[in-house]
Amino acid sequence: MIMNGIITISLSPVIDIHYSADSFEAGRDNIVHGRRIYAAGKGMNVSRGLHAVGISAEAYMLLGEENASEYLRLAADYGVPISCITTDGAVRENISVNTPAGETRICTKDFTISSKILPVLGVKVASKLSAGMAVVISGSLPKGITQEDFISFVRFIKGAVPDSKIILDCPTLSLETIKAIEPFLIKPNKEEAIALLGSESALAASLSAKEAKELCERAKCDYCVISCGADGAVFASSDGSSGSFAAPKIPECHSTVGAGDSMLAGILYSFMKDIDKSSYDLSEAVKWGIAFGSASCMNKGTEPPAAEDIFQLLRF
């Protein structure tokens, strides 16, 4: 069944704060100029990337009640439908300092929730789903949620709507957890893929579809796309097909925050736009994904890619 809708889930969303500076040096005062702040998180970034090309993907999330209103205020103009459950604590805040020499990030991981809230979120998500819809679950597991809790959460969703398509981009999941879920698609980055494979693979040095094929088989997923930053991506599917694409050159890279999420949005856009087809073209989807991810790097802050930049970059 061809994908006919998308929702995203963020268990640990974040408020991204971006500063601009002429330079940055640890251990001294650094003067910044310019400040941008965004309601973000991997799931929200995917939803925003899809919204940029006219596809609505409702964002489901858990928000710490201490600053949930601030998060929702920031997201009010995004055009993304949001369904949230508030819980104890606060939404994480990540800080990026951008200089001509590069980007320095300070990330927090102190969001803690009770596993009892996952079934509540699961019921909320399942009530929205219909056969063929994709469920994108992105981001690290918050404290308080075990691998077993996550497996139960996803299995509940799959049990409620068996034809739903589970898509995972969760850095903290083990290979055993992913295998237990048997997702439709996984999208680790290069470092995450190496960790899942359990060894220093050739992927660390160069693009290769070998690791994508191995990971696709070991994770029991239909599709595996490994994002490799400026090097592009490698990919494989359970039918044995695989390949790789380099990323196009862009005029200037302002920020890489959310680029992998934008790549995932591009892959899903490709799957969605040819709804009359009977099968998925992963090779074409990865081209779209790389264009989305590269276009997002042309923006400052955690901004989704601009449609005009995406279509321009598709010529690579």
Side-chain angles (χ1 to χ4, degrees):
M1 179 177 290
I2 293 297
M3 191 179 298
N4 59 17
I6 302 168
I7 68 170
T8 67
I9 299 176
S10 297
L11 299 180
S12 185
V14 64
I15 294 174
D16 276 344
I17 304 170
H18 292 260
Y19 291 100
S20 299
D22 294 328
S23 62
F24 181 86
E25 183 179 338
R28 62 178 291 270
D29 291 343
N30 292 275
I31 306 300
V32 300
H33 52 84
R35 177 177 181 268
R36 295 178 174 87
I37 183 167
Y38 303 88
K42 295 177 73 63
M44 171 60 87
N45 296 342
V46 172
S47 287
R48 292 189 72 195
L50 289 165
H51 178 76
V53 289
I55 292 180
S56 178
E58 187 169 358
Y60 286 74
M61 60 187 66
L62 301 177
L63 295 178
E65 59 187 4
E66 292 178 23
N67 55 354
S69 60
E70 172 69 3
Y71 186 98
L72 294 173
R73 182 189 66 80
L74 292 168
D77 295 330
Y78 292 172
V80 174
I82 297 174
S83 183
C84 70
I85 296 175
T86 56
T87 184
D88 293 340
V91 178
R92 299 177 302 120
E93 294 184 356
N94 289 346
I95 297 173
S96 297
V97 181
N98 297 86
T99 71
E103 186 173 40
T104 300
R105 300 185 67 192
I106 302 169
C107 303
T108 60
K109 291 187 177 182
D110 58 356
F111 187 51
T112 302
I113 65 172
S114 168
S115 60
K116 294 179 180 179
I117 204 168
L118 282 187
V120 179
L121 180 61
V123 169
K124 197 175 184 71
V125 169
S127 68
K128 178 71 174 184
L129 289 179
S130 58
M133 287 186 69
V135 181
V136 181
I137 310 175
S138 301
S140 299
L141 299 186
K143 293 179 181 178
I145 301 301
T146 66
Q147 302 280 319
E148 292 75 19
D149 293 332
F150 186 79
I151 291 171
S152 296
F153 171 66
V154 178
R155 282 180 173 171
F156 173 82
I157 294 172
K158 291 181 72 174
V161 186
D163 289 327
S164 57
K165 304 179 187 305
I166 303 298
I167 296 163
L168 301 178
D169 186 9
C170 305
T172 51
L173 296 185
S174 68
L175 183 61
E176 290 72 24
T177 294
I178 298 171
K179 186 165 57 175
I181 292 170
E182 297 187 25
F184 174 75
L185 182 147
I186 61 173
K187 195 215 67 64
N189 64 27
K190 181 166 64 175
E191 292 74 21
E192 293 159 3
I194 292 171
L196 287 170
L197 290 169
S199 63
E200 289 293 328
S201 71
L203 185 60
S206 62
L207 289 175
S208 168
K210 176 184 176 182
E211 289 79 15
K213 291 177 70 174
E214 181 181 353
L215 187 53
C216 188
E217 179 179 348
R218 292 175 62 181
K220 292 188 176 180
C221 58
D222 294 330
Y223 301 101
C224 172
V225 180
I226 302 173
S227 57
C228 302
D231 291 327
V234 297
F235 56 92
S237 63
S238 58
D239 66 7
S241 60
S242 63
S244 65
F245 291 116
K249 292 184 178 180
I250 59 175
E252 186 174 3
C253 179
H254 290 288
S255 176
T256 60
V257 178
D261 308 324
S262 293
M263 171 183 279
L264 183 52
I267 293 168
L268 297 176
Y269 172 72
S270 180
F271 286 166
M272 284 283 292
K273 72 183 180 66
D274 293 326
I275 199 167
D276 57 328
K277 292 185 177 180
S278 59
S279 61
Y280 300 106
D281 186 338
L282 183 60
S283 177
E284 180 186 5
V286 173
K287 282 188 175 182
W288 278 97
I290 292 174
F292 270 64
S294 298
S296 75
C297 294
M298 296 166 63
N299 296 328
K300 295 181 179 180
T302 313
E303 289 283 1
E308 57 268 27
D309 292 333
I310 294 169
F311 294 114
Q312 180 72 26
L313 290 173
L314 272 174
R315 300 176 183 177
F316 77 90

